[in-house]
Amino acid sequence: GQQLNQSPQSMFIQEGEDVSMNCTSSSIFNTWLWYKQEPGEGPVLLIALYKAGELTSNGRLTAQFGITRKDSFLNISASIPSDVGIYFCAGLTQGGSEKLVFGKGTKLTVNP
Amino acid sequence: DGGITQSPKYLFRKEGQNVTLSCEQNLNHDAMYWYRQDPGQGLRLIYYSQIVNDFQKGDIAEGYSVSREKKESFPLTVTSAQKNPTAFYLCASSIEAGGGETQYFGPGTRLLVL
């Protein structure tokens, strides 16, 4: 089945630092999604990417849809304590019975 | 406010019991989904429904059942056949399935087996 390899598994950073995480796959996806999940809550959509090569920003967050359609990255600039949480990438194929494939998440800890 | 609601937030089950988790959405979305999340794991798809009165098994459907009698509602029953039901359960919806549409998640229900 399709799998997404998300890295790193966890990150411990100081407030103010920039963060980068990525997802790769051997399969092609037509949509890449990035979610953030806080403890005991459901994932919240951060950025959706629909086109190969697309670079999209949402405040301090920037994500790109890889040109090969097999990867995506998420950058967070100037991290703040409220950025803590688990960040998930998810890939979506188009057509037929559609299923999201999730990475295992990157757990981010920001030290003030 | 439009959104997805799940209830209850926490649910305790005795071994051998069936329990039903509620998921309601008022987003007028056609497609709804149930995922299971275990610590350190990504989300795994249990069941999904593309339209009312239709649903399909996901990757880990054994021990679970669903119904989709109304567009707004997609309840999940965890049966006694599910051997390891303790997990965080997430419901999601999207405008339609098969169109590359983004899925939006509810707040989740944590199920604990006593």
Side-chain angles (χ1 to χ4, degrees), chain A residues 80-107:
Chain A
I80 58 177
S82 62
D83 288 334
V84 299
I86 302 177
Y87 292 79
F88 289 98
C89 63
L92 197 61
T93 54
Q94 194 165 19
S97 56
E98 185 167 81
K99 292 190 279 187
L100 263 183
V101 179
F102 282 85
K104 292 191 175 181
T106 296
K107 185 175 182 180

mmCIF file of all heavy atoms in Angstrom, chain A residues 80-107:
data_model
loop_
_atom_site.group_PDB
_atom_site.id
_atom_site.type_symbol
_atom_site.label_atom_id
_atom_site.label_comp_id
_atom_site.label_asym_id
_atom_site.label_seq_id
_atom_site.Cartn_x
_atom_site.Cartn_y
_atom_site.Cartn_z
ATOM 1 N N ILE A 80 7.444 29.878 17.956
ATOM 2 C CA ILE A 80 6.973 30.390 19.245
ATOM 3 C C ILE A 80 6.447 29.220 20.057
ATOM 4 O O ILE A 80 6.150 28.158 19.493
ATOM 5 C CB ILE A 80 5.891 31.476 19.052
ATOM 6 C CG1 ILE A 80 4.699 30.912 18.260
ATOM 7 C CG2 ILE A 80 6.473 32.692 18.345
ATOM 8 C CD1 ILE A 80 3.562 31.897 18.079
ATOM 9 N N PRO A 81 6.320 29.365 21.376
ATOM 10 C CA PRO A 81 5.886 28.226 22.208
ATOM 11 C C PRO A 81 4.571 27.580 21.772
ATOM 12 O O PRO A 81 4.408 26.370 21.903
ATOM 13 C CB PRO A 81 5.788 28.842 23.599
ATOM 14 C CG PRO A 81 6.818 29.922 23.598
ATOM 15 C CD PRO A 81 6.766 30.496 22.201
ATOM 16 N N SER A 82 3.653 28.343 21.231
ATOM 17 C CA SER A 82 2.362 27.764 20.831
ATOM 18 C C SER A 82 2.450 26.934 19.548
ATOM 19 O O SER A 82 1.461 26.333 19.121
ATOM 20 C CB SER A 82 1.304 28.858 20.661
ATOM 21 O OG SER A 82 1.685 29.752 19.641
ATOM 22 N N ASP A 83 3.623 26.856 18.955
ATOM 23 C CA ASP A 83 3.806 25.979 17.789
ATOM 24 C C ASP A 83 3.918 24.512 18.201
ATOM 25 O O ASP A 83 3.901 23.632 17.344
ATOM 26 C CB ASP A 83 5.067 26.373 17.005
ATOM 27 C CG ASP A 83 4.908 27.685 16.248
ATOM 28 O OD1 ASP A 83 3.755 28.038 15.916
ATOM 29 O OD2 ASP A 83 5.934 28.339 15.995
ATOM 30 N N VAL A 84 4.054 24.236 19.488
ATOM 31 C CA VAL A 84 4.206 22.846 19.932
ATOM 32 C C VAL A 84 3.000 22.017 19.508
ATOM 33 O O VAL A 84 1.879 22.486 19.502
ATOM 34 C CB VAL A 84 4.421 22.733 21.459
ATOM 35 C CG1 VAL A 84 5.671 23.450 21.875
ATOM 36 C CG2 VAL A 84 3.224 23.215 22.217
ATOM 37 N N GLY A 85 3.281 20.783 19.150
ATOM 38 C CA GLY A 85 2.228 19.879 18.724
ATOM 39 C C GLY A 85 2.817 18.839 17.797
ATOM 40 O O GLY A 85 4.039 18.749 17.626
ATOM 41 N N ILE A 86 1.956 18.057 17.206
ATOM 42 C CA ILE A 86 2.391 17.050 16.233
ATOM 43 C C ILE A 86 1.910 17.497 14.864
ATOM 44 O O ILE A 86 0.729 17.801 14.680
ATOM 45 C CB ILE A 86 1.837 15.659 16.572
ATOM 46 C CG1 ILE A 86 2.272 15.243 17.974
ATOM 47 C CG2 ILE A 86 2.310 14.641 15.541
ATOM 48 C CD1 ILE A 86 1.712 13.911 18.420
ATOM 49 N N TYR A 87 2.814 17.534 13.929
ATOM 50 C CA TYR A 87 2.512 17.953 12.572
ATOM 51 C C TYR A 87 2.460 16.714 11.675
ATOM 52 O O TYR A 87 3.382 15.905 11.672
ATOM 53 C CB TYR A 87 3.572 18.934 12.057
ATOM 54 C CG TYR A 87 3.521 20.252 12.789
ATOM 55 C CD1 TYR A 87 4.080 20.396 14.059
ATOM 56 C CD2 TYR A 87 2.897 21.365 12.229
ATOM 57 C CE1 TYR A 87 4.014 21.594 14.751
ATOM 58 C CE2 TYR A 87 2.823 22.575 12.906
ATOM 59 C CZ TYR A 87 3.380 22.681 14.168
ATOM 60 O OH TYR A 87 3.311 23.872 14.850
ATOM 61 N N PHE A 88 1.353 16.589 10.951
ATOM 62 C CA PHE A 88 1.168 15.448 10.062
ATOM 63 C C PHE A 88 1.107 15.921 8.621
ATOM 64 O O PHE A 88 0.435 16.904 8.304
ATOM 65 C CB PHE A 88 -0.151 14.724 10.355
ATOM 66 C CG PHE A 88 -0.174 13.968 11.651
ATOM 67 C CD1 PHE A 88 -0.751 14.527 12.780
ATOM 68 C CD2 PHE A 88 0.361 12.694 11.731
ATOM 69 C CE1 PHE A 88 -0.789 13.826 13.981
ATOM 70 C CE2 PHE A 88 0.325 11.988 12.925
ATOM 71 C CZ PHE A 88 -0.246 12.568 14.044
ATOM 72 N N CYS A 89 1.768 15.180 7.754
ATOM 73 C CA CYS A 89 1.535 15.357 6.331
ATOM 74 C C CYS A 89 0.518 14.297 5.909
ATOM 75 O O CYS A 89 0.389 13.246 6.547
ATOM 76 C CB CYS A 89 2.813 15.215 5.529
ATOM 77 S SG CYS A 89 3.574 13.588 5.629
ATOM 78 N N ALA A 90 -0.185 14.575 4.845
ATOM 79 C CA ALA A 90 -1.140 13.608 4.304
ATOM 80 C C ALA A 90 -1.200 13.793 2.798
ATOM 81 O O ALA A 90 -1.188 14.923 2.300
ATOM 82 C CB ALA A 90 -2.525 13.799 4.925
ATOM 83 N N GLY A 91 -1.236 12.683 2.099
ATOM 84 C CA GLY A 91 -1.327 12.714 0.647
ATOM 85 C C GLY A 91 -2.648 12.135 0.199
ATOM 86 O O GLY A 91 -3.183 11.209 0.817
ATOM 87 N N LEU A 92 -3.150 12.694 -0.866
ATOM 88 C CA LEU A 92 -4.465 12.291 -1.367
ATOM 89 C C LEU A 92 -4.355 11.988 -2.850
ATOM 90 O O LEU A 92 -3.820 12.796 -3.621
ATOM 91 C CB LEU A 92 -5.442 13.440 -1.143
ATOM 92 C CG LEU A 92 -6.934 13.190 -1.201
ATOM 93 C CD1 LEU A 92 -7.351 12.196 -0.146
ATOM 94 C CD2 LEU A 92 -7.667 14.497 -1.005
ATOM 95 N N THR A 93 -4.851 10.796 -3.227
ATOM 96 C CA THR A 93 -4.911 10.500 -4.648
ATOM 97 C C THR A 93 -6.286 10.902 -5.152
ATOM 98 O O THR A 93 -7.225 11.050 -4.381
ATOM 99 C CB THR A 93 -4.685 9.001 -4.905
ATOM 100 O OG1 THR A 93 -5.620 8.265 -4.118
ATOM 101 C CG2 THR A 93 -3.280 8.608 -4.533
ATOM 102 N N GLN A 94 -6.398 11.107 -6.403
ATOM 103 C CA GLN A 94 -7.636 11.631 -6.954
ATOM 104 C C GLN A 94 -8.350 10.578 -7.776
ATOM 105 O O GLN A 94 -7.728 9.791 -8.464
ATOM 106 C CB GLN A 94 -7.334 12.838 -7.840
ATOM 107 C CG GLN A 94 -8.552 13.665 -8.192
ATOM 108 C CD GLN A 94 -8.134 15.009 -8.738
ATOM 109 O OE1 GLN A 94 -6.999 15.191 -9.164
ATOM 110 N NE2 GLN A 94 -9.041 15.963 -8.737
ATOM 111 N N GLY A 95 -9.664 10.586 -7.677
ATOM 112 C CA GLY A 95 -10.444 9.686 -8.506
ATOM 113 C C GLY A 95 -10.779 8.400 -7.797
ATOM 114 O O GLY A 95 -10.022 7.898 -6.994
ATOM 115 N N GLY A 96 -11.938 7.865 -8.057
ATOM 116 C CA GLY A 96 -12.338 6.601 -7.466
ATOM 117 C C GLY A 96 -12.556 6.723 -5.969
ATOM 118 O O GLY A 96 -12.955 7.767 -5.485
ATOM 119 N N SER A 97 -12.292 5.678 -5.244
ATOM 120 C CA SER A 97 -12.461 5.710 -3.794
ATOM 121 C C SER A 97 -11.232 6.386 -3.191
ATOM 122 O O SER A 97 -10.140 5.849 -3.217
ATOM 123 C CB SER A 97 -12.610 4.300 -3.248
ATOM 124 O OG SER A 97 -11.515 3.511 -3.618
ATOM 125 N N GLU A 98 -11.444 7.542 -2.655
ATOM 126 C CA GLU A 98 -10.314 8.381 -2.264
ATOM 127 C C GLU A 98 -9.968 8.161 -0.802
ATOM 128 O O GLU A 98 -10.830 8.175 0.053
ATOM 129 C CB GLU A 98 -10.702 9.824 -2.472
ATOM 130 C CG GLU A 98 -9.611 10.804 -2.231
ATOM 131 C CD GLU A 98 -10.014 12.132 -2.758
ATOM 132 O OE1 GLU A 98 -10.757 12.832 -2.065
ATOM 133 O OE2 GLU A 98 -9.617 12.439 -3.890
ATOM 134 N N LYS A 99 -8.711 7.985 -0.520
ATOM 135 C CA LYS A 99 -8.282 7.822 0.861
ATOM 136 C C LYS A 99 -7.067 8.708 1.113
ATOM 137 O O LYS A 99 -6.158 8.792 0.292
ATOM 138 C CB LYS A 99 -7.939 6.364 1.147
ATOM 139 C CG LYS A 99 -9.151 5.437 1.111
ATOM 140 C CD LYS A 99 -8.816 4.055 1.632
ATOM 141 C CE LYS A 99 -8.140 3.204 0.592
ATOM 142 N NZ LYS A 99 -7.969 1.803 1.062
ATOM 143 N N LEU A 100 -7.059 9.325 2.291
ATOM 144 C CA LEU A 100 -5.893 10.067 2.738
ATOM 145 C C LEU A 100 -4.871 9.086 3.290
ATOM 146 O O LEU A 100 -5.230 8.179 4.039
ATOM 147 C CB LEU A 100 -6.270 11.039 3.851
ATOM 148 C CG LEU A 100 -6.550 12.497 3.544
ATOM 149 C CD1 LEU A 100 -6.814 13.244 4.831
ATOM 150 C CD2 LEU A 100 -5.432 13.142 2.780
ATOM 151 N N VAL A 101 -3.618 9.299 2.927
ATOM 152 C CA VAL A 101 -2.521 8.519 3.506
ATOM 153 C C VAL A 101 -1.739 9.462 4.393
ATOM 154 O O VAL A 101 -1.316 10.531 3.939
ATOM 155 C CB VAL A 101 -1.617 7.941 2.405
ATOM 156 C CG1 VAL A 101 -0.472 7.150 3.028
ATOM 157 C CG2 VAL A 101 -2.418 7.062 1.462
ATOM 158 N N PHE A 102 -1.547 9.081 5.652
ATOM 159 C CA PHE A 102 -0.905 9.963 6.623
ATOM 160 C C PHE A 102 0.524 9.533 6.905
ATOM 161 O O PHE A 102 0.842 8.343 6.961
ATOM 162 C CB PHE A 102 -1.662 9.956 7.950
ATOM 163 C CG PHE A 102 -2.895 10.787 7.951
ATOM 164 C CD1 PHE A 102 -4.088 10.272 7.485
ATOM 165 C CD2 PHE A 102 -2.859 12.098 8.403
ATOM 166 C CE1 PHE A 102 -5.235 11.046 7.472
ATOM 167 C CE2 PHE A 102 -3.994 12.875 8.401
ATOM 168 C CZ PHE A 102 -5.192 12.352 7.940
ATOM 169 N N GLY A 103 1.390 10.530 7.130
ATOM 170 C CA GLY A 103 2.683 10.261 7.729
ATOM 171 C C GLY A 103 2.485 10.008 9.209
ATOM 172 O O GLY A 103 1.392 10.206 9.748
ATOM 173 N N LYS A 104 3.554 9.570 9.899
ATOM 174 C CA LYS A 104 3.438 9.252 11.323
ATOM 175 C C LYS A 104 3.607 10.467 12.221
ATOM 176 O O LYS A 104 3.496 10.361 13.435
ATOM 177 C CB LYS A 104 4.437 8.163 11.694
ATOM 178 C CG LYS A 104 4.097 6.828 11.065
ATOM 179 C CD LYS A 104 4.923 5.708 11.632
ATOM 180 C CE LYS A 104 4.450 4.379 11.037
ATOM 181 N NZ LYS A 104 5.203 3.231 11.568
ATOM 182 N N GLY A 105 3.883 11.602 11.642
ATOM 183 C CA GLY A 105 3.921 12.827 12.419
ATOM 184 C C GLY A 105 5.301 13.253 12.853
ATOM 185 O O GLY A 105 6.205 12.430 13.012
ATOM 186 N N THR A 106 5.454 14.553 13.035
ATOM 187 C CA THR A 106 6.665 15.147 13.610
ATOM 188 C C THR A 106 6.246 15.868 14.874
ATOM 189 O O THR A 106 5.435 16.792 14.823
ATOM 190 C CB THR A 106 7.317 16.145 12.643
ATOM 191 O OG1 THR A 106 7.765 15.461 11.485
ATOM 192 C CG2 THR A 106 8.483 16.868 13.313
ATOM 193 N N LYS A 107 6.777 15.431 16.003
ATOM 194 C CA LYS A 107 6.439 16.059 17.288
ATOM 195 C C LYS A 107 7.393 17.214 17.537
ATOM 196 O O LYS A 107 8.605 17.026 17.625
ATOM 197 C CB LYS A 107 6.529 15.040 18.413
ATOM 198 C CG LYS A 107 6.063 15.595 19.754
ATOM 199 C CD LYS A 107 6.056 14.523 20.821
ATOM 200 C CE LYS A 107 5.553 15.081 22.140
ATOM 201 N NZ LYS A 107 5.525 14.053 23.199
#
